[in-house]
Amino acid sequence: MTDYTRMTAADIAAALAAGETTSVEVTQAHLDRIAEVDGDVHAFLQVDAEGALATARAVDEARAAGKELGPLAGVPVAVKDVLATEGLTTTAGSKILEGWVPPYDATVVAKLRAAGMPILGKTNMDEFAMGSSTEHSAYGPTHNPWDLDRIPGGSGGGSSAAVAAFEAPLAIGTDTGGSIRQPAAVTGTVGTKPTYGGVSRYGLIALASSLDQAGPCTRSVLDAALLHEVIGGHDVMDSTSIDAPVPPVVEAARKADVKGLKIGVIKEISGEGFQPGVKQLFDESVQLLVDRGAEVVEVSCPSFEKGLAAYYLILPSEASSNLAKFDGMRYGLRVGPEGVASPSAEQVMAATRDAGFGDEVKRRIILGTYALSAGYYDAYYGQAQKVRTLIARDFAAAYEKVDVLVTPTAPTTAFKLGEKLDDPMAMYLNDVATIPANLAGVPGMSIPNGLAAEDGLPSGFQILAPATKDERLYQVGAALEAALQEKWGGPILAQAPELAGKADAR
Amino acid sequence: MTDAVVDYDEALQTYDPVMGLEVHVELNTKTKMFCGCSTVFGAEPNSQVCPVCLGLPGALPVVNASAVESAIRLGLALHGSIADWSRFARKNYFYPDMPKNFQTSQYDEPIVYNGYLDVEVPTESGDGTEVFRVEIERAHMEEDTGKSLHVGGATGRIQGAEYSLVDYNRAGIPLIEIVTKPIVGAGTRAPQIARAYVAALRDLLKALDISDVKMEQGSVRCDANVSLRPVGTEKFGTRTETKNVNSLRSIERAVRYEISRQAAVLDAGGTITQETRHWHEDTGITTAGRPKSDADDYRYFPEPDLVPVAPAAELVEKLGGTLPEPPAQRRKRLQSDWGYSDLEMRDVINAGAVDLIEQTVAEGASPAGARKWWTGELARRANVEGRTVEDFGVTPAHVAELDGLVKGGRLNDSMARQVLEGVMAGEGAPTAVADARGLELVQDDGALEAAVDKVIAANPDVADKVRGGKLNAAGALIGQVMKELKGQADAAKARELILAKLT
């Protein structure tokens, strides 16, 4: 019997189109897999079996009736819990939104529904997407399918882990400083952060409005392109959305050719401070691209080093304002202050926010409130915006010389749960290579490029392209993926340990 | 406790008032500033809301292009500069009527800056009027907040209330805030200038048709900053900001009161506290609100969910072509066209009847007839009932028709008033009301003559007086004739006939 959970979304879609299987069968297979392994992985905060199967049935009927369907119709998908889903609880990993059922769909979710994609459930994340390990979820951490004692990355650890554990062929993540790419790197999966404005943010619970971007989490570059095409495009509900067609990402992924392309290695992010195994794999991947006909050029982006500092001013500043609405007045958690008989609205707001937000969220709200304060604004927020401009200039200068830039995605492979929880600075350093793309609004992708020699855990290779040239990520990503899989004799996840799950009990 | 005040004229001998006026205007766009919700006033609470104006997690704003056009047109009408690039910013503070706990407003990059508005005020000697120029600092766009209703307290304020209800229908209504530069040199006329400025601004907004300008519904709200400095000095004194003064008369009174109150504080050697003050319509005083310092920290930063507003030069130019005739100029033109005296024109303006008379004249009425009805009976009724002349369901076409019936000799004045009542009662257009009520002057000269003969015969004494040259005595006979014909006689004709027979 075919195990549909092991197939790529493209293959599932082909099987559905050929009438070899049904969406109900495929969806049920994934629901069964979730039931089997998610007790260990904890990728999902909520599974919507009923809703997913209802969509699957509707798609099967439509297909049987000969209706024209989108390329991913019937292929199930998991959605990060930061996107509003009408009728389905949306918490952003926070206690303050426990039980909140949105009355509307995020545009990305509406597009998934319109494409006939069953939504399996909502995936775990660091609270309000603040973190690089998913340990800051108010509902407990997600475990890395490669080693359950390790983090799956963050903030979208749930989406990447779900894909890596074969619980979903596709998932939606969001990336503010690396929350799609870094989890992809440490779980051996593919993740794309599209150009800022390429995918609507309407219905995405904002962390930092000027940095947030939703994108695909998958096991193959082609799958990412297919999902990117479903969720991308202009949205009148999002003023920052780009009014242009989705870049030809699927075509580029199928092309998978790097002959004559100029690939830039960034002097400042080429391996120093990276785990040796990660650096070694990066160098090997660059060589593979050269072998396939690409030309490698070293470029300098001196301002990137200041990116982390600027990011940790801009993000908390915007977040402190975005998160002000969670006050217990209209929805979500409401907590009365202790020992006050007739509390004022202000007291209820304070007590609710105290009880509802976790430490990392409070830390960033305090940082952001401080950075925006009168008298400090110019020194902090103002300076950070200037750095942002400098980083954008570095990118522009680099793209004068090269077609894409490449870096290791994350400095290390997956670290142990709890290892960096008490060291925010160490945690923040995870994002050093991914942050510049968010600050400049350019697209980035991480693809798995091997297992590090010292620990046998997956490493990620990041590709960055100029704004609106997302197709280049797929062109290079697919070429490298093909070269690597030729070397490995199959996808990297074939090397992942089997999850015991409930199979043990059987 | 009531604050001490000094006599206004006395205060002005010692102190020179400086004002700053901030006027919030609700625009009359069909939809809200950042979403598609309706802006109709008076709907069921929380029925005109959506994820965007409720600030639900994930929702995003989109700028209402028609609100931007209104702001540009206002800016041009105020002779202001239109920024070719302006941005929205977030003003951060926590309050339950603000769904996002920040207000999306404009901060240091407003859409309109550096304008002016000329207002007509009495000369200092009081023997005429002159133009006073109020300089405009800026006009910017923002969203309104929801409306809190504090229940259970004595004052209707949040302090002491048992609980509060919030209606978010108002949240997200487009506002334009117009801020003046410090108004100096107003002297004793400061209260009048404040009033005249808001009145002129209201007229301009109305002429532009960008707001309902219903002050009583809060669609125009004025905050008046007032400070005093010793006469002859340059440095501004500490100011207070009297919030939400919502009628023209109150603006004048509030400024006047604040001058008297501050003068008393200064006279007693005290200092003015920088604070917001509440205006009390009933008692005519202001009371202290919350202290306000320049250090109020709203942590403004550019709104990252919106792109900058960068109106194209062609758009600004096109909108410049849609500006109405300036209200003051228009009034002068109409006064001259209609041949009204200054006094008559003032009554017309005070009755809010300029547009109505213009339309009535366009419908064929004489300017004098149109004025008579709108500023006479209708204005009187409106005044008594605390309504506006437009509230009675009487249209310019009705008044023109009524005027025609009088001019054509079908109705006399008292009959016309009855017809007007019928129109107000919803009985239909004037001719139909006159028909239904059987109102028509007796046109039959024979019937009139018979009545005159009868009355002369029945009142020989009075007739003799008239014959003796006391023409005024004819009035009594006319009255009798009218009575005889149940009021449906043409009094002028009756008089003519009586005099013809007796002299």
Side-chain angles (χ1 to χ4, degrees):
Chain A
M1 202 184 103
T2 318
D3 183 355
Y4 290 104
T5 64
R6 298 277 158 166
M7 287 166 68
T8 62
D11 289 344
I12 294 170
L16 287 166
E20 291 161 17
T21 184
T22 63
S23 179
V24 168
E25 189 183 357
V26 170
T27 303
Q28 190 57 58
H30 285 94
L31 291 168
D32 291 347
R33 174 73 181 172
I34 292 168
E36 190 182 319
V37 303
D38 207 52
D40 290 336
V41 179
H42 193 222
F44 284 87
L45 289 178
Q46 189 188 183
V47 176
D48 183 24
E50 204 180 307
L53 288 169
T55 305
R57 269 191 299 275
V59 172
D60 287 341
E61 278 163 25
R63 198 184 300 276
K67 291 210 175 110
E68 201 170 312
L69 296 168
L72 289 179
V75 181
V77 61
V79 175
K80 190 176 179 182
D81 206 30
V82 75
L83 289 150
T85 41
E86 186 175 349
L88 206 56
T89 307
T90 301
T91 68
S94 182
K95 281 281 175 215
I96 211 160
L97 274 179
E98 190 163 20
W100 181 60
V101 181
Y104 77 108
D105 272 335
T107 298
V108 165
V109 172
K111 287 188 176 218
L112 296 175
R113 293 196 205 272
M117 299 175 69
I119 293 172
L120 294 166
K122 305 298 288 290
T123 58
N124 198 11
M125 57 187 284
D126 284 299
E127 184 177 2
F128 288 110
M130 296 182 191
S132 306
S133 68
T134 318
E135 292 167 289
H136 294 300
S137 167
Y139 304 98
T142 296
H143 301 261
N144 191 322
W146 288 80
D147 176 349
L148 294 174
D149 290 334
R150 290 180 186 267
I151 59 106
S155 67
S159 283
S160 294
V163 170
F166 302 102
E167 296 175 82
L170 302 167
I172 301 293
T174 62
D175 189 315
T176 304
S179 290
I180 288 175
R181 291 163 288 161
Q182 181 257 8
V186 299
T187 58
T189 57
V190 175
T192 308
K193 181 203 93 75
T195 297
Y196 181 78
V199 176
S200 171
R201 291 187 298 115
Y202 188 74
L204 190 176
I205 300 176
L207 166 52
S209 310
S210 71
L211 304 166
D212 296 342
Q213 189 58 208
C217 305
T218 65
R219 290 190 296 266
S220 83
V221 173
L222 177 60
D223 282 3
L226 290 166
L227 186 54
H228 189 148
E229 221 165 58
V230 168
I231 61 173
H234 184 241
D235 180 13
V236 292
M237 299 297 278
D238 175 1
S239 312
T240 61
S241 141
I242 297 168
D243 192 1
V246 185
V249 291
V250 174
E251 191 192 319
R254 291 211 160 102
K255 193 171 162 200
D257 176 18
V258 290
K259 266 189 215 79
L261 270 192
K262 285 189 180 159
I263 302 211
V265 173
I266 303 169
K267 201 168 83 184
E268 291 80 7
I269 318 179
S270 57
E272 204 183 322
F274 287 68
Q275 187 179 318
V278 169
K279 166 145 178 58
Q280 190 196 334
L281 289 169
F282 174 70
D283 293 341
E284 284 172 21
S285 296
V286 170
Q287 188 54 48
L288 278 178
L289 289 170
V290 172
D291 294 347
R292 293 228 161 185
E295 185 191 334
V296 173
V297 181
E298 190 185 68
V299 297
S300 176
C301 294
S303 300
F304 282 20
E305 287 173 347
K306 300 184 186 79
L308 195 68
Y311 176 81
Y312 276 101
L313 285 169
I314 291 168
L315 178 144
S317 296
E318 293 185 10
S320 71
S321 174
N322 284 330
L323 269 54
K325 64 178 60 165
F326 303 103
D327 61 5
M329 291 292 116
R330 291 161 297 274
Y331 48 79
L333 184 74
R334 177 182 287 178
V335 175
E338 250 174 79
V340 182
S342 178
S344 68
E346 197 177 331
Q347 288 170 316
V348 173
M349 286 181 178
T352 300
R353 290 167 68 80
D354 187 34
F357 287 140
D359 286 349
E360 182 61 24
V361 173
K362 286 177 187 164
R363 181 167 19 244
R364 297 200 196 184
I365 289 175
I366 292 167
L367 269 172
T369 303
Y370 182 78
L372 288 176
S373 298
Y376 298 99
Y377 178 91
D378 290 340
Y380 295 125
Y381 190 80
Q383 280 298 104
Q385 289 292 10
K386 283 180 196 157
V387 169
R388 198 169 181 170
T389 306
L390 293 178
I391 286 173
R393 279 190 202 153
D394 278 1
F395 269 118
Y399 290 130
E400 296 259 303
K401 297 185 195 125
V402 298
D403 299 300
V404 294
L405 294 166
V406 295
T407 75
T409 309
T412 67
T413 55
F415 47 89
K416 291 244 159 113
L417 283 161
E419 192 181 318
K420 297 185 180 176
L421 205 46
D422 295 326
D423 188 352
M425 280 310 292
M427 192 77 94
Y428 295 173
L429 282 169
N430 265 291
D431 303 331
V432 72
T434 46
I435 275 170
N438 300 83
L439 288 172
V442 304
M445 170 190 279
S446 178
I447 70 162
N449 70 337
L451 304 179
E454 57 272 14
D455 53 21
L457 290 167
S459 161
F461 183 83
Q462 180 179 230
I463 308 155
L464 303 167
T468 74
K469 304 290 182 200
D470 302 46
E471 69 274 14
R472 291 190 198 166
L473 306 176
Y474 291 93
Q475 192 182 339
V476 175
L480 180 58
E481 181 184 62
L484 287 164
Q485 292 197 3
E486 203 173 283
K487 204 170 101 180
W488 301 329
I492 195 166
L493 280 162
Q495 303 174 50
E498 277 301 316
L499 287 165
K502 290 185 184 160
D504 267 0
R506 278 211 292 263
Chain B
M1 195 196 82
T2 328
D3 292 295
V5 292
V6 298
D7 177 71
Y8 179 76
D9 294 324
E10 210 171 288
L12 265 296
Q13 279 167 20
T14 323
Y15 302 106
D16 177 21
V18 176
M19 295 185 292
L21 300 170
E22 295 168 19
V23 177
H24 286 87
V25 178
E26 273 185 1
L27 297 179
N28 61 359
T29 51
K30 287 195 176 65
T31 57
K32 291 186 179 180
M33 188 72 225
F34 300 116
C35 65
C37 286
S38 166
T39 56
V40 172
F41 182 80
E44 189 71 14
N46 297 310
S47 64
Q48 294 174 168
V49 291
C50 74
V52 177
C53 59
L54 282 179
L56 291 188
L60 294 173
V62 176
V63 173
N64 180 339
S66 117
V68 173
E69 293 191 357
S70 295
I72 293 172
R73 290 179 68 233
L74 174 64
L76 293 172
L78 289 171
H79 314 279
S81 303
I82 308 302
D84 51 16
W85 196 88
S86 86
R87 271 199 295 197
F88 282 93
R90 292 187 184 176
K91 181 181 183 179
N92 294 286
Y93 65 98
F94 283 83
Y95 203 76
D97 67 13
M98 211 164 45
K100 298 169 291 183
N101 283 324
F102 62 78
Q103 183 187 28
T104 307
S105 179
Q106 293 195 293
Y107 180 48
D108 49 2
E109 296 156 312
I111 180 118
V112 174
Y113 58 97
N114 283 349
Y116 64 86
L117 182 60
D118 285 337
V119 300
E120 211 166 278
V121 286
T123 53
E124 267 178 273
S125 55
D127 60 359
T129 59
E130 66 178 358
V131 167
F132 187 95
R133 176 161 295 184
V134 177
E135 308 265 358
I136 307 290
E137 169 87 31
R138 56 184 281 160
H140 70 251
M141 299 176 281
E142 61 185 29
E143 58 180 338
D144 210 342
T145 61
K147 203 169 181 178
S148 298
L149 180 67
H150 305 297
V151 184
T155 57
R157 294 228 159 81
I158 194 164
Q159 291 83 8
E162 274 174 48
Y163 60 95
S164 302
L165 299 170
V166 187
D167 178 6
Y168 292 107
N169 284 352
R170 202 180 69 176
I173 300 265
L175 292 181
I176 292 182
E177 180 176 347
I178 303 129
V179 182
T180 67
K181 290 183 178 167
I183 302 171
V184 296
T188 55
R189 294 176 300 167
Q192 288 161 294
I193 286 170
R195 177 187 180 140
Y197 165 72
V198 178
L201 191 57
R202 190 194 59 177
D203 290 346
L204 185 62
L205 294 162
K206 193 170 180 192
L208 287 162
D209 192 23
I210 60 173
S211 170
D212 296 340
V213 296
K214 289 185 177 157
M215 294 190 81
E216 70 284 2
Q217 288 180 5
S219 57
V220 176
R221 312 195 280 271
C222 181
D223 300 340
N225 290 277
V226 174
S227 69
L228 298 183
R229 56 183 177 183
V231 168
T233 62
E234 285 297 313
K235 194 171 170 280
F236 293 170
T238 304
R239 69 194 155 86
T240 61
E241 182 181 0
T242 304
K243 306 287 280 184
N244 290 328
V245 192
N246 290 344
S247 75
L248 294 178
R249 184 166 165 264
S250 301
I251 289 159
E252 188 170 346
R253 290 171 73 206
V255 169
R256 198 180 166 92
Y257 175 82
E258 214 25 42
I259 289 172
S260 291
R261 185 193 68 83
Q262 289 187 18
V265 173
L266 295 171
D267 279 353
T271 52
I272 302 300
T273 311
Q274 187 171 341
E275 63 189 357
T276 63
R277 297 192 64 88
H278 301 293
W279 167 249
H280 301 271
E281 186 67 48
D282 46 353
T283 48
I285 64 165
T286 67
T287 54
R290 80 194 149 81
K292 186 170 180 157
S293 70
D294 289 327
D296 266 348
D297 193 351
Y298 293 115
R299 287 174 281 114
Y300 281 102
F301 73 104
E303 167 58 276
D305 285 329
L306 291 171
V307 290
V309 177
E314 301 82 65
L315 174 69
V316 175
E317 200 186 321
K318 193 192 98 193
L319 293 172
T322 68
L323 297 187
E325 184 182 6
Q329 188 180 318
R330 172 165 171 260
R331 282 195 297 265
K332 285 210 168 62
R333 174 176 60 78
L334 291 174
Q335 182 181 350
S336 142
D337 287 355
W338 294 338
Y340 292 173
S341 70
D342 288 352
L343 198 67
E344 286 170 342
M345 194 63 193
R346 201 192 66 194
D347 287 347
V348 166
I349 292 166
N350 288 345
V354 175
D355 292 348
L356 294 166
I357 290 177
E358 190 180 29
Q359 290 158 30
T360 306
V361 170
E363 294 278 350
S366 64
R371 184 181 61 78
K372 186 173 113 186
W373 291 111
W374 287 113
T375 64
E377 183 61 13
L378 284 164
R380 190 190 60 76
R381 281 277 296 266
N383 204 25
V384 168
E385 295 173 28
R387 302 161 76 182
T388 71
V389 285
E390 284 156 305
D391 292 343
F392 297 105
V394 178
T395 66
H398 288 150
V399 173
E401 190 179 332
L402 190 66
D403 188 55
L405 291 174
V406 175
K407 291 273 172 339
R410 171 163 178 184
L411 302 177
N412 61 22
D413 271 10
S414 89
M415 292 160 86
R417 266 195 293 279
Q418 292 176 52
V419 168
L420 193 60
E421 261 169 40
V423 175
M424 285 190 261
E427 292 168 23
T431 308
V433 173
D435 288 349
R437 294 194 173 192
L439 293 169
E440 176 144 27
L441 285 177
V442 173
Q443 303 291 347
D444 179 351
D445 284 353
L448 182 63
E449 196 166 353
V452 167
D453 290 344
K454 191 175 165 193
V455 167
I456 290 173
N459 297 280
D461 301 353
V462 183
D464 279 346
K465 278 185 189 161
V466 177
R467 282 191 193 99
K470 287 192 174 168
L471 297 188
N472 285 343
L477 297 176
I478 296 166
Q480 294 282 329
V481 172
M482 294 304 279
K483 203 170 167 188
E484 196 66 32
L485 291 172
K486 300 190 172 60
Q488 307 210 350
D490 183 336
K493 233 178 197 174
R495 180 183 165 86
E496 218 170 87
L497 208 54
I498 289 166
L499 294 181
K501 284 187 187 287
L502 297 180
T503 58

